[in-house]
mmCIF file with all atom_site columns, all heavy atoms in Angstrom:
data_model
loop_
_atom_site.group_PDB
_atom_site.id
_atom_site.type_symbol
_atom_site.label_atom_id
_atom_site.label_alt_id
_atom_site.label_comp_id
_atom_site.label_asym_id
_atom_site.label_entity_id
_atom_site.label_seq_id
_atom_site.pdbx_PDB_ins_code
_atom_site.Cartn_x
_atom_site.Cartn_y
_atom_site.Cartn_z
_atom_site.occupancy
_atom_site.B_iso_or_equiv
_atom_site.pdbx_formal_charge
_atom_site.auth_seq_id
_atom_site.auth_comp_id
_atom_site.auth_asym_id
_atom_site.auth_atom_id
_atom_site.pdbx_PDB_model_num
ATOM 1   N N   . LYS Y 1 162 ? 58.988 -75.352 -7.144  1.00 0.00 ? 162 LYS Y N   1
ATOM 2   C CA  . LYS Y 1 162 ? 59.790 -74.501 -6.250  1.00 0.00 ? 162 LYS Y CA  1
ATOM 3   C C   . LYS Y 1 162 ? 60.136 -73.153 -6.836  1.00 0.00 ? 162 LYS Y C   1
ATOM 4   O O   . LYS Y 1 162 ? 60.335 -72.189 -6.088  1.00 0.00 ? 162 LYS Y O   1
ATOM 5   C CB  . LYS Y 1 162 ? 61.113 -75.218 -5.900  1.00 0.00 ? 162 LYS Y CB  1
ATOM 6   C CG  . LYS Y 1 162 ? 60.910 -76.584 -5.238  1.00 0.00 ? 162 LYS Y CG  1
ATOM 7   C CD  . LYS Y 1 162 ? 60.223 -76.481 -3.900  1.00 0.00 ? 162 LYS Y CD  1
ATOM 8   C CE  . LYS Y 1 162 ? 60.153 -77.857 -3.215  1.00 0.00 ? 162 LYS Y CE  1
ATOM 9   N NZ  . LYS Y 1 162 ? 59.447 -77.795 -1.913  1.00 0.00 ? 162 LYS Y NZ  1
ATOM 10  N N   . HIS Y 1 163 ? 60.217 -73.061 -8.179  1.00 0.00 ? 163 HIS Y N   1
ATOM 11  C CA  . HIS Y 1 163 ? 60.623 -71.789 -8.798  1.00 0.00 ? 163 HIS Y CA  1
ATOM 12  C C   . HIS Y 1 163 ? 59.511 -71.151 -9.647  1.00 0.00 ? 163 HIS Y C   1
ATOM 13  O O   . HIS Y 1 163 ? 59.171 -70.004 -9.463  1.00 0.00 ? 163 HIS Y O   1
ATOM 14  C CB  . HIS Y 1 163 ? 61.850 -72.057 -9.699  1.00 0.00 ? 163 HIS Y CB  1
ATOM 15  C CG  . HIS Y 1 163 ? 63.048 -72.601 -8.982  1.00 0.00 ? 163 HIS Y CG  1
ATOM 16  N ND1 . HIS Y 1 163 ? 64.162 -73.042 -9.615  1.00 0.00 ? 163 HIS Y ND1 1
ATOM 17  C CD2 . HIS Y 1 163 ? 63.299 -72.748 -7.654  1.00 0.00 ? 163 HIS Y CD2 1
ATOM 18  C CE1 . HIS Y 1 163 ? 65.066 -73.479 -8.743  1.00 0.00 ? 163 HIS Y CE1 1
ATOM 19  N NE2 . HIS Y 1 163 ? 64.546 -73.312 -7.527  1.00 0.00 ? 163 HIS Y NE2 1
ATOM 20  N N   . VAL Y 1 164 ? 59.012 -71.923 -10.597 1.00 0.00 ? 164 VAL Y N   1
ATOM 21  C CA  . VAL Y 1 164 ? 58.080 -71.377 -11.591 1.00 0.00 ? 164 VAL Y CA  1
ATOM 22  C C   . VAL Y 1 164 ? 56.794 -70.859 -10.989 1.00 0.00 ? 164 VAL Y C   1
ATOM 23  O O   . VAL Y 1 164 ? 56.404 -69.705 -11.201 1.00 0.00 ? 164 VAL Y O   1
ATOM 24  C CB  . VAL Y 1 164 ? 57.763 -72.411 -12.700 1.00 0.00 ? 164 VAL Y CB  1
ATOM 25  C CG1 . VAL Y 1 164 ? 56.717 -71.866 -13.658 1.00 0.00 ? 164 VAL Y CG1 1
ATOM 26  C CG2 . VAL Y 1 164 ? 59.031 -72.770 -13.446 1.00 0.00 ? 164 VAL Y CG2 1
ATOM 27  N N   . MET Y 1 165 ? 56.093 -71.685 -10.222 1.00 0.00 ? 165 MET Y N   1
ATOM 28  C CA  . MET Y 1 165 ? 54.802 -71.270 -9.677  1.00 0.00 ? 165 MET Y CA  1
ATOM 29  C C   . MET Y 1 165 ? 54.909 -70.162 -8.628  1.00 0.00 ? 165 MET Y C   1
ATOM 30  O O   . MET Y 1 165 ? 54.114 -69.199 -8.645  1.00 0.00 ? 165 MET Y O   1
ATOM 31  C CB  . MET Y 1 165 ? 54.040 -72.472 -9.114  1.00 0.00 ? 165 MET Y CB  1
ATOM 32  C CG  . MET Y 1 165 ? 53.447 -73.358 -10.204 1.00 0.00 ? 165 MET Y CG  1
ATOM 33  S SD  . MET Y 1 165 ? 52.545 -72.443 -11.496 1.00 0.00 ? 165 MET Y SD  1
ATOM 34  C CE  . MET Y 1 165 ? 51.206 -71.718 -10.516 1.00 0.00 ? 165 MET Y CE  1
ATOM 35  N N   . PRO Y 1 166 ? 55.877 -70.223 -7.692  1.00 0.00 ? 166 PRO Y N   1
ATOM 36  C CA  . PRO Y 1 166 ? 56.020 -69.103 -6.743  1.00 0.00 ? 166 PRO Y CA  1
ATOM 37  C C   . PRO Y 1 166 ? 56.276 -67.779 -7.449  1.00 0.00 ? 166 PRO Y C   1
ATOM 38  O O   . PRO Y 1 166 ? 55.752 -66.738 -7.051  1.00 0.00 ? 166 PRO Y O   1
ATOM 39  C CB  . PRO Y 1 166 ? 57.216 -69.513 -5.867  1.00 0.00 ? 166 PRO Y CB  1
ATOM 40  C CG  . PRO Y 1 166 ? 57.196 -71.011 -5.901  1.00 0.00 ? 166 PRO Y CG  1
ATOM 41  C CD  . PRO Y 1 166 ? 56.771 -71.349 -7.319  1.00 0.00 ? 166 PRO Y CD  1
ATOM 42  N N   . THR Y 1 167 ? 57.097 -67.826 -8.509  1.00 0.00 ? 167 THR Y N   1
ATOM 43  C CA  . THR Y 1 167 ? 57.374 -66.619 -9.280  1.00 0.00 ? 167 THR Y CA  1
ATOM 44  C C   . THR Y 1 167 ? 56.119 -66.111 -9.987  1.00 0.00 ? 167 THR Y C   1
ATOM 45  O O   . THR Y 1 167 ? 55.836 -64.910 -9.998  1.00 0.00 ? 167 THR Y O   1
ATOM 46  C CB  . THR Y 1 167 ? 58.511 -66.874 -10.298 1.00 0.00 ? 167 THR Y CB  1
ATOM 47  O OG1 . THR Y 1 167 ? 59.755 -66.884 -9.613  1.00 0.00 ? 167 THR Y OG1 1
ATOM 48  C CG2 . THR Y 1 167 ? 58.559 -65.773 -11.374 1.00 0.00 ? 167 THR Y CG2 1
ATOM 49  N N   . TYR Y 1 168 ? 55.371 -67.037 -10.577 1.00 0.00 ? 168 TYR Y N   1
ATOM 50  C CA  . TYR Y 1 168 ? 54.138 -66.676 -11.278 1.00 0.00 ? 168 TYR Y CA  1
ATOM 51  C C   . TYR Y 1 168 ? 53.186 -65.951 -10.336 1.00 0.00 ? 168 TYR Y C   1
ATOM 52  O O   . TYR Y 1 168 ? 52.624 -64.902 -10.678 1.00 0.00 ? 168 TYR Y O   1
ATOM 53  C CB  . TYR Y 1 168 ? 53.486 -67.900 -11.908 1.00 0.00 ? 168 TYR Y CB  1
ATOM 54  C CG  . TYR Y 1 168 ? 52.199 -67.589 -12.631 1.00 0.00 ? 168 TYR Y CG  1
ATOM 55  C CD1 . TYR Y 1 168 ? 52.208 -66.948 -13.851 1.00 0.00 ? 168 TYR Y CD1 1
ATOM 56  C CD2 . TYR Y 1 168 ? 50.962 -67.941 -12.071 1.00 0.00 ? 168 TYR Y CD2 1
ATOM 57  C CE1 . TYR Y 1 168 ? 51.003 -66.649 -14.516 1.00 0.00 ? 168 TYR Y CE1 1
ATOM 58  C CE2 . TYR Y 1 168 ? 49.779 -67.643 -12.704 1.00 0.00 ? 168 TYR Y CE2 1
ATOM 59  C CZ  . TYR Y 1 168 ? 49.808 -66.996 -13.939 1.00 0.00 ? 168 TYR Y CZ  1
ATOM 60  O OH  . TYR Y 1 168 ? 48.640 -66.691 -14.597 1.00 0.00 ? 168 TYR Y OH  1
ATOM 61  N N   . GLU Y 1 169 ? 53.000 -66.529 -9.170  1.00 0.00 ? 169 GLU Y N   1
ATOM 62  C CA  . GLU Y 1 169 ? 52.046 -65.974 -8.201  1.00 0.00 ? 169 GLU Y CA  1
ATOM 63  C C   . GLU Y 1 169 ? 52.478 -64.643 -7.619  1.00 0.00 ? 169 GLU Y C   1
ATOM 64  O O   . GLU Y 1 169 ? 51.636 -63.788 -7.304  1.00 0.00 ? 169 GLU Y O   1
ATOM 65  C CB  . GLU Y 1 169 ? 51.790 -66.987 -7.102  1.00 0.00 ? 169 GLU Y CB  1
ATOM 66  C CG  . GLU Y 1 169 ? 51.048 -68.224 -7.577  1.00 0.00 ? 169 GLU Y CG  1
ATOM 67  C CD  . GLU Y 1 169 ? 51.037 -69.377 -6.587  1.00 0.00 ? 169 GLU Y CD  1
ATOM 68  O OE1 . GLU Y 1 169 ? 51.649 -69.195 -5.491  1.00 0.00 ? 169 GLU Y OE1 1
ATOM 69  O OE2 . GLU Y 1 169 ? 50.469 -70.443 -6.884  1.00 0.00 ? 169 GLU Y OE2 1
ATOM 70  N N   . LYS Y 1 170 ? 53.805 -64.428 -7.509  1.00 0.00 ? 170 LYS Y N   1
ATOM 71  C CA  . LYS Y 1 170 ? 54.306 -63.216 -6.877  1.00 0.00 ? 170 LYS Y CA  1
ATOM 72  C C   . LYS Y 1 170 ? 54.637 -62.097 -7.848  1.00 0.00 ? 170 LYS Y C   1
ATOM 73  O O   . LYS Y 1 170 ? 54.396 -60.925 -7.568  1.00 0.00 ? 170 LYS Y O   1
ATOM 74  C CB  . LYS Y 1 170 ? 55.538 -63.561 -6.053  1.00 0.00 ? 170 LYS Y CB  1
ATOM 75  C CG  . LYS Y 1 170 ? 56.086 -62.387 -5.232  1.00 0.00 ? 170 LYS Y CG  1
ATOM 76  C CD  . LYS Y 1 170 ? 57.210 -62.844 -4.332  1.00 0.00 ? 170 LYS Y CD  1
ATOM 77  C CE  . LYS Y 1 170 ? 57.714 -61.672 -3.455  1.00 0.00 ? 170 LYS Y CE  1
ATOM 78  N NZ  . LYS Y 1 170 ? 58.845 -62.120 -2.548  1.00 0.00 ? 170 LYS Y NZ  1
ATOM 79  N N   . TYR Y 1 171 ? 55.202 -62.447 -9.003  1.00 0.00 ? 171 TYR Y N   1
ATOM 80  C CA  . TYR Y 1 171 ? 55.754 -61.431 -9.903  1.00 0.00 ? 171 TYR Y CA  1
ATOM 81  C C   . TYR Y 1 171 ? 55.039 -61.282 -11.247 1.00 0.00 ? 171 TYR Y C   1
ATOM 82  O O   . TYR Y 1 171 ? 55.339 -60.358 -12.023 1.00 0.00 ? 171 TYR Y O   1
ATOM 83  C CB  . TYR Y 1 171 ? 57.236 -61.714 -10.184 1.00 0.00 ? 171 TYR Y CB  1
ATOM 84  C CG  . TYR Y 1 171 ? 58.102 -61.773 -8.964  1.00 0.00 ? 171 TYR Y CG  1
ATOM 85  C CD1 . TYR Y 1 171 ? 58.664 -62.987 -8.543  1.00 0.00 ? 171 TYR Y CD1 1
ATOM 86  C CD2 . TYR Y 1 171 ? 58.372 -60.634 -8.214  1.00 0.00 ? 171 TYR Y CD2 1
ATOM 87  C CE1 . TYR Y 1 171 ? 59.497 -63.044 -7.428  1.00 0.00 ? 171 TYR Y CE1 1
ATOM 88  C CE2 . TYR Y 1 171 ? 59.199 -60.688 -7.083  1.00 0.00 ? 171 TYR Y CE2 1
ATOM 89  C CZ  . TYR Y 1 171 ? 59.739 -61.898 -6.690  1.00 0.00 ? 171 TYR Y CZ  1
ATOM 90  O OH  . TYR Y 1 171 ? 60.549 -61.964 -5.585  1.00 0.00 ? 171 TYR Y OH  1
ATOM 91  N N   . ILE Y 1 172 ? 54.151 -62.209 -11.598 1.00 0.00 ? 172 ILE Y N   1
ATOM 92  C CA  . ILE Y 1 172 ? 53.526 -62.197 -12.905 1.00 0.00 ? 172 ILE Y CA  1
ATOM 93  C C   . ILE Y 1 172 ? 52.022 -62.019 -12.818 1.00 0.00 ? 172 ILE Y C   1
ATOM 94  O O   . ILE Y 1 172 ? 51.466 -61.054 -13.376 1.00 0.00 ? 172 ILE Y O   1
ATOM 95  C CB  . ILE Y 1 172 ? 53.884 -63.471 -13.687 1.00 0.00 ? 172 ILE Y CB  1
ATOM 96  C CG1 . ILE Y 1 172 ? 55.381 -63.646 -13.806 1.00 0.00 ? 172 ILE Y CG1 1
ATOM 97  C CG2 . ILE Y 1 172 ? 53.248 -63.442 -15.107 1.00 0.00 ? 172 ILE Y CG2 1
ATOM 98  C CD1 . ILE Y 1 172 ? 55.844 -64.974 -14.362 1.00 0.00 ? 172 ILE Y CD1 1
ATOM 99  N N   . LEU Y 1 173 ? 51.349 -62.936 -12.126 1.00 0.00 ? 173 LEU Y N   1
ATOM 100 C CA  . LEU Y 1 173 ? 49.883 -62.893 -12.028 1.00 0.00 ? 173 LEU Y CA  1
ATOM 101 C C   . LEU Y 1 173 ? 49.352 -61.561 -11.484 1.00 0.00 ? 173 LEU Y C   1
ATOM 102 O O   . LEU Y 1 173 ? 48.316 -61.060 -11.986 1.00 0.00 ? 173 LEU Y O   1
ATOM 103 C CB  . LEU Y 1 173 ? 49.403 -64.059 -11.150 1.00 0.00 ? 173 LEU Y CB  1
ATOM 104 C CG  . LEU Y 1 173 ? 47.865 -64.190 -11.022 1.00 0.00 ? 173 LEU Y CG  1
ATOM 105 C CD1 . LEU Y 1 173 ? 47.204 -64.364 -12.386 1.00 0.00 ? 173 LEU Y CD1 1
ATOM 106 C CD2 . LEU Y 1 173 ? 47.542 -65.364 -10.111 1.00 0.00 ? 173 LEU Y CD2 1
ATOM 107 N N   . PRO Y 1 174 ? 49.989 -60.924 -10.477 1.00 0.00 ? 174 PRO Y N   1
ATOM 108 C CA  . PRO Y 1 174 ? 49.459 -59.660 -9.961  1.00 0.00 ? 174 PRO Y CA  1
ATOM 109 C C   . PRO Y 1 174 ? 49.352 -58.549 -10.999 1.00 0.00 ? 174 PRO Y C   1
ATOM 110 O O   . PRO Y 1 174 ? 48.596 -57.579 -10.822 1.00 0.00 ? 174 PRO Y O   1
ATOM 111 C CB  . PRO Y 1 174 ? 50.433 -59.281 -8.848  1.00 0.00 ? 174 PRO Y CB  1
ATOM 112 C CG  . PRO Y 1 174 ? 51.021 -60.586 -8.412  1.00 0.00 ? 174 PRO Y CG  1
ATOM 113 C CD  . PRO Y 1 174 ? 51.122 -61.396 -9.667  1.00 0.00 ? 174 PRO Y CD  1
#
Side-chain angles (χ1 to χ4, degrees):
K162 303 296 185 181
H163 300 171
V164 175
M165 286 311 297
T167 283
Y168 179 74
E169 292 168 359
K170 185 174 182 179
Y171 302 112
I172 304 171
L173 183 58

